[in-house]
């Protein structure tokens, strides 16, 4: 028997002898083996990156959403707080302006999309979900065609979703129940800035604050006592999160006041909420105060059943007939008050409109809502986009001149074949249908009820997804671009729920305090030694 033989031999001390080179080789293999478990996700990530690169080659200057894309780009060139939208996304565009490249914008947004999948995967692996299962959970994020198309639009959704994903990753990262206060600090800052990217994220801050308070330990919470186990009180994460979330919001409100004379982020929530309630608001039931009289639609206008997302832009609606500007502070306050009165007087009708919007999100087919032209903007086109004439939203230049100036190009909209045809055919086949999205939400909700060991974490992810889906529908209208951002967090909730079942009966989390910290060589030696001892005990020649 040679020294390099795999079989063990008795040394002079009566123990087992492992050749040093063989021990080192086995240790290296065992040390590298954990990395191999990430192979399925890495392959999926490469596939998602190739799809996005095909989209960049097909539409090198991005895709344009009529109205909103022109708005964001115009205010990136001329930054001042507008009344209708917050400028968090325009600030990113301004940061990228020195590159003078529309292609750079879509590449950054696609990297954000890939980053969301990486963060979801990392959190699930940290939660001890098997790597192959975590990779499966990220597939809708990586391969949904509408996710890729929305990342390619010059719109705020990619940045908005990325910021929320980064905040939740910080809040869910750690070895103890609940985040550390120093992790909650940057999470609050990220989520506060996300609200400036899209004001529809505003309810996330109180929702996350409430859930952080439910992470308290040692005293059973009064809310949902059976759903949430006992915990010891620690208010520091909630206080740290709330303090840092307020920083970007307060700074923007001060800027808004300096330019427009009133504190706020926008003065347009009133007209959007009026559009949400106008279809059912009945002044005979509401009995609005005198300053709100005349804001109800007449019977003929209601019979048209014009969706709120289209209705609010019509010149013949009562708010535009009454106010010189529907986004003035006075008009905004009046329209908001009118809408609240309508909701309080007719809560059943209001809930039905929300349920109809959620039903469209989970429906089998896609509806032409709010208009067929709007829904068509969420599909990869086969021809370049035509830019409208007239002044831009900022009042300086036109939408076309802004795009040409920003990108230093004469063709701000390009379609390159055959790559565009590949993306069009891909989108026709590969996307997450509405019923599948409904199943994700249902599984996440079930996880909140049954995943006892990770109930708070599942509730945080599922609550985020539900808030992102319901709030835009409740405050404005259903739109298919509002359905895409909740999807990664619904996937995350499902993955965390599955990880809770795997965590049953297991020891400390990897890397947690009190866990094993042995090196690969010690593991190999212990494993080899145990094999050798069993061999000796069972070998008749070693029995005295």
């Amino acid at each position: 028997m040679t020294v390099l033989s795999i079989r063990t031999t008795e040394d002079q001390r009566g123990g087992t002898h492992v050749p040093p080179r063989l021990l080192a080789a086995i240790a290296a293999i065992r040390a590298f083996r954990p990395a191999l478990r990430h192979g399925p996700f890495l392959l999926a990530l490469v596939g998602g990156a190739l799809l996005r690169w095909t989209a960049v080659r097909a539409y090198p200057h991005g895709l344009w959403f009529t109205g909103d894309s022109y708005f964001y780009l115009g205010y990136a060139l001329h930054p001042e707080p507008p009344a209708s939208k917050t400028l968090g996304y325009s600030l990113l565009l301004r940061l990228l302006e020195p590159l003078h490249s529309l292609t750079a914008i879509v590449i950054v947004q696609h990297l954000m999309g890939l980053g969301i999948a990486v963060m979801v995967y990392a959190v699930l692996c940290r939660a001890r979900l098997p790597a192959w299962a975590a990779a499966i959970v990220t597939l809708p994020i990586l391969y949904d065609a509408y996710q890729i198309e929305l990342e390619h639009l010059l719109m705020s959704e990619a940045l908005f979703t990325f910021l929320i994903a980064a905040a939740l990753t910080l809040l869910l990262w750690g070895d103890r129940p609940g985040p550390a206060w120093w992790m909650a600090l940057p999470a609050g800052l990220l989520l506060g800035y996300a609200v400036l990217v899209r004001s529809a994220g505003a309810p996330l801050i109180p929702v996350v604050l409430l859930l952080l308070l439910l992470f308290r330990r040692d005293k059973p919470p009064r809310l949902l006592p059976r759903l949430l186990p006992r915990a010891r009180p620690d208010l520091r994460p909630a206080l740290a999160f709330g303090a840092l979330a307020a920083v970007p919001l307060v700074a923007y409100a001060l800027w808004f006041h300096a330019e427009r004379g009133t504190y706020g982020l926008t003065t347009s929530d009133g007209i959007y909420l009026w559009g949400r309630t106008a279809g059912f608001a009945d002044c005979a039931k509401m009995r609005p105060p005198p300053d709100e009289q005349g804001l109800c639609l007449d019977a003929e206008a209601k019979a048209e059943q014009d969706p709120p997302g289209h209705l609010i832009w019509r010149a013949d609606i009562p708010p535009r007939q009454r106010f010189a500007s529907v986004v003035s502070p006075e008009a905004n306050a009046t329209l908001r008050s009118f809408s609240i009165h309508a909701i309080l007087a007719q809560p059943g009708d209001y809930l039905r409109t929300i349920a109809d919007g959620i039903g469209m999100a989970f429906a089998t087919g896609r509806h032409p809502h709010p208009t067929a032209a709007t829904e068509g903007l969420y599909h990869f086109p086969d021809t370049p986009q035509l830019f409208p004439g007239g002044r831009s939203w900022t009042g300086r230049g036109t939408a076309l001149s802004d795009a040409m100036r920003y990108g230093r190009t004469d063709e701000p909209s390009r379609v390159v074949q055959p790559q565009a045809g590949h993306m069009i055919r891909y989108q026709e086949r590969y996307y997450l249908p509405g019923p599948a999205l409904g199943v994700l939400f249902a599984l996440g909700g079930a996880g909140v009820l049954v995943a006892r060991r990770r109930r708070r974490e599942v509730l945080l992810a599922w609550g985020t997804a539900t808030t992102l889906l319901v709030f835009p529908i409740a405050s404005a209208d259903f739109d298919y671009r509002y359905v895409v951002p909740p999807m990664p967090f619904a996937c995350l909730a499902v993955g965390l729920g599955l990880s809770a079942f795997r965590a049953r009966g297991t020891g400390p989390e990897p890397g947690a305090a009190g866990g094993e910290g042995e090196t690969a060589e010690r593991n190999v030696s212990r494993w080899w030694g145990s094999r050798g001892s069993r061999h000796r005990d069972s070998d008749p020649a070693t029995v005295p």
Side-chain angles (χ1 to χ4, degrees):
M1 181 179 297
T2 65
V3 176
L4 296 177
S5 174
I6 296 180
R7 300 181 62 182
T8 62
T9 60
E10 299 293 331
D11 62 12
Q12 295 178 352
R13 295 171 295 178
T16 60
H17 173 70
V18 182
R21 292 184 180 179
L22 182 58
L23 180 62
I26 296 175
I29 293 173
R30 287 178 64 84
F32 183 73
R33 189 175 65 178
L36 297 178
R37 67 191 182 101
H38 301 301
F41 175 72
L42 292 177
L43 289 175
L45 186 67
V46 169
L50 290 176
L51 274 173
R52 286 160 172 81
W53 178 242
T54 302
V56 172
R57 294 176 63 196
Y59 310 97
H61 293 162
L63 299 175
W64 300 81
F65 190 90
T66 302
D68 288 18
S69 295
Y70 312 145
F71 172 92
Y72 288 125
L73 195 66
Y75 277 99
L77 295 172
H78 312 286
E80 58 182 358
S84 57
K85 297 180 186 293
T86 49
L87 289 189
Y89 180 62
S90 293
L91 296 178
L92 172 67
L93 297 183
R94 186 165 183 83
L95 183 65
L96 298 175
E97 184 189 4
L99 300 177
H100 295 295
S101 172
L102 297 171
T103 305
I105 297 174
V106 294
I107 289 176
V108 168
Q109 293 183 173
H110 283 311
L111 290 175
M112 289 178 181
L114 295 173
I116 293 168
V118 170
M119 286 186 281
V120 169
Y121 178 78
V123 169
L124 294 180
C125 288
R126 181 75 173 178
R128 303 182 72 177
L129 187 68
W132 62 266
I136 291 175
V137 171
T138 64
L139 292 181
I141 307 171
L142 290 170
Y143 289 96
D144 179 76
Y146 290 99
Q147 171 79 35
I148 299 172
E149 200 272 349
L150 195 60
E151 293 170 14
H152 211 74
L153 279 167
L154 272 72
M155 290 285 286
S156 61
E157 273 69 24
L159 175 60
F160 178 68
T161 311
F162 178 82
L163 292 170
I164 297 173
L168 258 63
T169 299
L170 292 171
L171 294 175
L172 293 170
W173 200 266
D175 303 316
R176 61 175 188 164
W181 67 267
W182 49 269
M183 294 288 272
L185 283 172
L189 193 63
L190 289 169
L191 202 52
Y193 185 69
V195 175
L196 299 185
V197 174
R198 269 195 61 199
S199 56
L204 278 180
I205 292 179
V207 166
V208 173
L209 268 175
L210 175 62
L211 294 178
L212 288 178
L213 291 174
L214 294 180
F215 272 109
R216 297 172 58 179
R217 297 174 276 175
D218 111 359
K219 179 182 178 182
R222 294 182 180 179
L223 295 175
L224 308 177
R226 294 185 179 180
L227 294 180
L228 300 169
R230 299 184 173 219
R232 112 181 124 80
D234 187 358
L235 296 178
R236 291 177 300 171
L239 294 176
F241 174 85
L244 266 291
V247 170
L249 301 180
V250 171
Y252 193 91
L254 292 173
W255 184 33
F256 195 88
H257 177 267
E259 296 290 334
R260 296 190 167 271
T262 184
Y263 292 101
L265 303 181
T266 68
T267 53
S268 60
D269 57 291
I271 184 63
Y272 286 109
L273 193 57
W274 177 89
R276 175 74 283 175
T277 60
F280 66 81
D282 187 343
C283 284
K285 296 179 181 179
M286 293 170 50
R287 297 180 181 178
D291 62 329
E292 298 172 15
Q293 295 285 347
L295 290 177
C296 285
L297 289 176
D298 57 33
E300 183 179 352
K302 285 184 179 180
E304 296 178 19
Q305 297 183 343
D306 202 3
H310 182 258
L311 176 68
I312 61 174
W313 303 107
R314 288 172 43 172
D316 60 343
I317 59 175
R320 294 191 181 274
Q321 293 290 321
R322 176 171 174 179
F323 301 107
S325 172
V326 294
V327 293
S328 67
E330 297 77 15
N332 189 57
T334 302
L335 294 173
R336 187 196 303 122
S337 176
F338 172 87
S339 303
I340 293 173
H341 282 119
I343 293 170
L344 294 177
Q346 301 170 256
D349 294 327
Y350 179 60
L351 292 177
R352 274 191 290 273
T353 62
I354 298 175
D356 290 342
I358 296 173
M360 282 190 282
F362 298 152
T364 302
R366 289 175 70 93
H367 300 271
H369 190 96
T371 66
T374 299
E375 196 278 330
L377 294 172
Y378 306 127
H379 298 261
F380 288 108
D382 56 0
T383 58
Q385 184 165 346
L386 299 178
F387 286 75
R391 308 295 293 178
S392 71
W393 283 48
T394 62
R396 305 182 183 94
T398 65
L400 179 59
S401 66
D402 285 345
M404 293 171 63
R405 173 186 168 186
Y406 186 96
R408 298 285 177 88
T409 177
D410 294 333
E411 291 182 288
S413 179
R414 289 182 58 200
V415 176
V416 179
Q417 298 290 358
Q419 289 82 8
H422 297 334
M423 296 308 302
I424 292 171
R425 289 188 292 273
Y426 179 85
Q427 191 172 25
E428 292 172 352
R429 298 181 180 180
Y430 303 104
Y431 59 91
L432 190 71
L437 181 66
V439 169
L440 283 179
F441 271 86
L443 291 176
V448 174
L449 298 176
V450 302
R452 189 176 67 86
R453 287 200 59 172
R454 297 197 182 277
R455 184 165 291 144
R456 298 182 181 94
E457 291 88 342
V458 178
L459 186 58
L460 181 60
W462 187 78
T464 298
T466 304
T467 302
L468 291 177
L469 177 67
V470 174
F471 181 75
I473 297 174
S475 60
D477 192 7
F478 170 81
D479 194 299
Y480 281 103
R481 79 172 187 264
Y482 302 153
V483 177
V484 177
M487 183 258 290
F489 308 106
C491 293
L492 178 60
V494 172
L496 288 172
L498 293 174
S499 73
F501 291 98
R502 179 172 174 80
R504 290 180 178 178
T506 61
E509 301 282 346
E516 296 183 4
E518 297 175 320
T519 63
E521 290 189 5
R522 288 183 60 188
N523 288 332
V524 171
S525 298
R526 188 176 63 175
W527 169 78
W528 191 283
S530 64
R531 286 175 58 91
S533 63
R534 288 195 299 269
H535 176 74
R536 289 195 305 275
D537 293 340
S538 60
D539 189 349
T542 63
V543 177

